[in-house]
């Protein structure tokens, strides 16, 4: 038990402590592994000499649950956990999920909705003056006024609704140490207005240097165009080198001030973070409860980088981790991988080496390290920037070293390869070695859609780039004597996706010869550019009006079209085809999505559909058998073709 930070007052006393400096309240179970934010921040504070106690998943209905250690000397740290509590609890259709992977045994109901607000309010009722600092992804992405999908309205900054004093947003290592040192020096929390990577409240702007004045909360909550304009300003101020403070007025309640982001970690700093004395285990109190499912998914994976310059519009990484790449050294990763081989449960397989994007191992261009990322340009979209550094050599070298570690049988890459970055690399060494050593039959990639119109609103490359990747992937498979498939992820109902585009995607899925087991419907989560489009119907960076599929029935049709083979989806698919005038896809031909509906009238069968299909339905039994045989042969040929093309 001494290997873990204390979770009870008894354990605190066993360490000889009379009081903790910080009590860390989290919506996750306590897992002392660097894939969990609670573990990183608490171990980092410990390394600086601070006493930290963990209060995992307190019962928010009882004040006693947050009084485990009494009043901490310096303050409370509050996080909803590794996931936003609302995304954790609800599907995109707002139905309750059945499993919480960050709770013992996957049990649901061990954290409240809007966890940081609930936990913080409970603390404030009990400890009137003790500093409360919010962190984690839930607080980070709600740091200013934001559209809330679950209530379908614009809500305050979480700082106002929670009663907390500050938010440490982003990854938090730099800002949390500055906050801790300032509080330890005796500065009151209301004086901590200067720390990068933080958000605070104030009555006026006298303590803020050269701020950008955002539209007020009263304006953005009633005017969607103003909301989009405000979001665009925030989006262009996410870089630590060029961003300015931003001030958002709440009338008589004062201002919410967002300081510029903290600087990215250097490689040495990142190595130090991952070298802290984690047990890399679930706290023993959960053993009889079935463990923590989330750890099993990442226990034998390596985090090699942070940040992403991919710029997908439906992703919140720009607001959370930022666009500047930060990496761990080879030595740091090899040391962690070597420790894995000593684990009795390790079977010789490293499940992943990556991060938000696996194959990014350096900033997209060198000027980012001194001037930051471009405000009005993306690195890869719509086409790769002429200044983009496309180089997989460091990643290839790292993977080769990991493969040579005694006890390692196979090193997989599962966290996502950016296929347009692979295509842009003229040196195909990485692609060849990826196919030869790091794929287990299937490579999962994320083209997201096939319509260039939808891809434009997603911030993804054109469909032709994905097609080029498939050709190169197929060539690499042939060179290495492999027969492996690229399994694509697709998304339905993204802003800009009309029913016409949904049918186009269904046709592409048909030609691939497989049916996706799961379909990702677009989920409007806080602080993504796509969510802004979803709410306002406006592209915030261009002012362009965007079609948004919001009606639940329309969204259900778009989702059903991708799984048109499921008999339960037939009526929805038929409705979608009627809406788009694509009844040519109802019939018996190899290109048809569904069969005509047969009905009995006076002992005779009649087929609904086009006149051509009606005529086909009156054909002889032999013709039907011939058609079915042709259909089987067509499908068999599609599979053969897809096997040669590296697709399943």
């Amino acid at each position: 038990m001494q290997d873990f930070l204390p979770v009870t007052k008894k354990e605190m006393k066993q360490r000889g402590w009379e009081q903790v400096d910080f009590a860390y309240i989290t919506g996750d179970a306590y897992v002392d592994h660097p894939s969990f934010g609670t573990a990183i921040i608490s171990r980092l504070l410990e390394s600086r000499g601070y006493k930290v106690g963990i209060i995992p998943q307190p019962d928010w209905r009882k004040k006693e649950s947050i009084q485990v250690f009494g009043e901490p000397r310096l303050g409370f740290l509050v996080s909803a956990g590794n996931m936003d509590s609302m995304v954790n609890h609800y599907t995109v259709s707002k139905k309750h999920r059945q499993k919480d992977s960050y709770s013992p045994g996957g049990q649901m109901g061990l954290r409240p909705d809007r966890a940081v607000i609930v936990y913080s309010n409970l603390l404030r009722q009990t400890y009137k003056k003790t500093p409360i600092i919010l962190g984690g992804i839930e607080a980070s992405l709600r740091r200013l006024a934001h559209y809330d999908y679950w209530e379908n309205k614009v809500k305050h900054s979480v700082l106002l609704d929670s009663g907390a004093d500050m938010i440490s947003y982003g990854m938090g290592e730099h800002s949390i140490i500055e906050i801790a040192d300032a509080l330890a020096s005796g500065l009151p929390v209301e004086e901590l207005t200067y720390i990068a990577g933080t958000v605070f409240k104030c009555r006026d702007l006298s303590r803020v240097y050269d701020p950008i004045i955002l539209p007020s909360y009263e304006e953005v909550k009633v005017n969607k165009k103003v909301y989009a304009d405000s979001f665009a300003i925030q989006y262009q101020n996410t870089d630590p080198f060029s961003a300015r403070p931003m001030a958002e007025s709440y009338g008589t309640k004062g201002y919410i001030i967002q300081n510029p982001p903290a600087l990215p970690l250097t490689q040495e700093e990142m190595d130090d973070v991952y070298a802290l004395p984690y047990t890399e285990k679930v706290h023993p109190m959960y053993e009889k409860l079935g463990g923590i499912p989330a750890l099993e998914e990442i226990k034998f994976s390596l985090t090699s980088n942070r940040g992403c310059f991919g710029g997908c519009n439906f992703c919140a990484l720009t607001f959370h981790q930022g666009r500047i790449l930060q990496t761990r050294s080879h030595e740091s990763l090899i040391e962690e991988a070597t420790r894995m081989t000593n684990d009795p449960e390790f079977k010789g397989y490293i499940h992943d080496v990556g991060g938000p994007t696996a194959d990014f191992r350096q900033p997209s261009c060198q000027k980012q390290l001194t001037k930051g990322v471009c405000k009005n340009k993306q690195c890869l979209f719509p086409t790769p920037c002429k200044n983009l550094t496309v180089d997989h050599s460091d990643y290839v070298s790292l993977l080769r070293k990991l493969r040579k570690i005694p006890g390692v049988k196979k090193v997989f890459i599962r966290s996502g390869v950016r296929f347009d970055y692979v295509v842009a690399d003229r040196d195909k060494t990485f692609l060849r070695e990826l196919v030869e050593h790091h794929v287990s039959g299937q490579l999962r990639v994320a083209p997201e859609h096939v319509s260039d119109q939808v891809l434009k609103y997603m911030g993804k490359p054109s469909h032709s780039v994905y097609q080029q990747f498939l050709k190169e992937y197929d060539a690499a498979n042939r060179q290495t004597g492999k027969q492996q498939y690229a399994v694509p992820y697709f998304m339905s109902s993204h802003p800009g996706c009309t029913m016409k585009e949904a049918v186009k995607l269904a046709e592409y899925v048909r030609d691939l010869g497989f049916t996706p087991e799961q379909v990702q419907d677009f989920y409007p989560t806080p602080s993504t550019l796509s969510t802004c489009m979803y709410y306002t119907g406006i592209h915030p960076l261009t002012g362009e009006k965007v079609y948004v599929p919001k009606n639940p029935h329309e969204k259900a049709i778009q989702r059903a079209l991708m799984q048109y083979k499921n008999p339960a989806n037939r009526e929805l698919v038929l409705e979608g085809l009627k809406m788009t005038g694509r009844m040519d896809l109802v019939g018996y031909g190899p290109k048809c999505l569904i069969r005509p509906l047969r009905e009995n009238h006076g002992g005779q069968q009649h087929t609904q559909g086009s006149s051509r299909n009606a005529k086909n339905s009156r054909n002889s039994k032999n013709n039907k058998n011939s058609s079915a045989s042709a259909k089987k042969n067509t499908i068999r040929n599609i599979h053969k073709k897809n096997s040669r093309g590296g697709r399943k």
Side-chain angles (χ1 to χ4, degrees), residues 360-375:
F360 288 172
R361 281 287 296 174
Q362 68 275 315
S364 58
C365 66
Q366 290 303 306
K367 78 181 185 70
Q368 288 183 6
L369 299 177
T370 55
K371 298 180 180 178
V373 297
C374 298
K375 281 192 173 186

Side-chain angles (χ1 to χ4, degrees), residues 11 62 73 83 145 300 320 405 412-413 426 444 558:
E11 292 175 15
K62 299 176 181 177
R73 184 173 71 92
M83 280 184 72
F300 298 121
H320 190 57
I405 295 174
F412 294 111
I413 299 173
R426 294 181 181 179
R444 298 186 181 277
Q558 290 206 18

Side-chain angles (χ1 to χ4, degrees), residues 1 4 30 281-289:
M1 299 295 289
F4 291 85
Y30 179 24
K281 297 177 181 178
V282 170
H283 192 280
M285 63 182 168
Y286 303 120
E287 288 177 0
K288 295 181 180 179
L289 300 173

Side-chain angles (χ1 to χ4, degrees), residues 401-420:
K401 292 173 184 177
L402 292 170
R403 295 200 303 264
K404 291 180 181 179
I405 295 174
V408 172
K409 298 176 183 177
K410 189 89 171 178
V411 179
F412 294 111
I413 299 173
R414 291 176 177 166
S415 59
V417 170
R418 185 77 189 211
F419 64 84
D420 50 345

